[in-house]
Amino acid sequence: MYTFSLQKVLDYRKKQEELAQRRLAGALRERDQARLVVEQVQDALSRCQEEYTGLQSPELDLPRLLMASELAGVLTDRLKHSRQELKEKEACLRQEQRRTEKAMQDRKILDKLREKAEREYLKQEERKEQQRMDELARTVFLRTHR
């Protein structure tokens, strides 16, 4: 029976790959959540700007107009902050993608080594079996032709 001498290393690499994939999934969720926040703030800012535009009429409601103006300023700042956070989450996502790809490559290398070593082991076993068969055939031949 074949046993891979680097099996513990392969198991470790598989665990590292699984961990990297979980981190990648988390980074994807965080990026999607940050993207949703940006969209929500953009929508709120658009509604606020529409309200601000609607308040600019011949009958000026100064307190509501000032409040809408301040809210637009706050939402603009929040949108800027949310976009920056989204950029950071996307950078983190790209980093996790690279880590995951490397973990996958590391595991694949060991998988290929294991497959190659197993093929070589099977070839050796086949050669040994063939030698035993040849020896048996020779023995039988010598006994029958004496």
Side-chain angles (χ1 to χ4, degrees):
M1 181 165 153
Y2 175 73
T3 56
F4 184 49
S5 61
L6 297 174
Q7 187 62 45
K8 288 183 180 181
V9 177
L10 177 59
D11 293 342
Y12 173 77
R13 296 272 171 91
K14 284 180 181 178
K15 287 178 185 176
Q16 291 300 308
E17 180 183 0
E18 290 171 5
L19 179 63
Q21 287 176 349
R22 283 195 299 272
R23 284 193 311 248
L24 177 62
L28 272 169
R29 281 192 301 276
E30 288 178 7
R31 192 270 325 257
D32 290 344
Q33 192 173 13
R35 189 176 281 167
L36 181 63
V37 167
V38 167
E39 290 172 4
Q40 290 172 345
V41 172
Q42 283 175 331
D43 290 344
L45 182 58
S46 295
R47 287 191 307 274
C48 181
Q49 288 172 338
E50 287 173 8
E51 183 181 336
Y52 182 75
T53 303
L55 288 174
Q56 295 178 2
S57 63
E59 304 169 357
L60 209 53
D61 186 2
L62 193 59
R64 285 187 70 201
L65 190 63
L66 286 172
M67 210 159 60
S69 175
E70 284 183 33
L71 181 59
V74 167
L75 288 174
T76 301
D77 290 343
R78 185 162 180 218
L79 180 61
K80 182 180 176 183
H81 175 72
S82 297
R83 284 182 175 157
Q84 181 61 34
E85 190 172 317
L86 177 60
K87 284 182 183 178
E88 291 169 4
K89 298 294 181 185
E90 287 174 342
C92 181
L93 177 63
R94 285 190 298 274
Q95 183 179 5
E96 289 301 330
Q97 285 171 331
R98 285 190 297 271
R99 285 182 185 163
T100 302
E101 288 171 2
K102 181 169 181 352
M104 289 172 71
Q105 287 173 350
D106 290 346
R107 184 207 32 93
K108 284 181 182 179
I109 288 169
L110 279 173
D111 273 341
K112 288 180 181 181
L113 283 173
R114 182 187 52 77
E115 290 170 7
K116 184 178 178 182
E118 187 173 8
R119 280 193 306 270
E120 187 61 35
Y121 171 79
L122 291 173
K123 281 182 187 179
Q124 287 176 358
E125 289 298 308
E126 195 175 301
R127 276 188 240 127
K128 287 177 185 177
E129 182 64 25
Q130 186 62 46
Q131 286 175 351
R132 282 191 290 258
M133 295 302 285
D134 290 347
E135 187 65 32
L136 182 62
R138 184 176 339 136
T139 303
V140 169
F141 177 78
L142 291 175
R143 282 187 182 170
T144 58
H145 288 88
R146 275 190 182 180

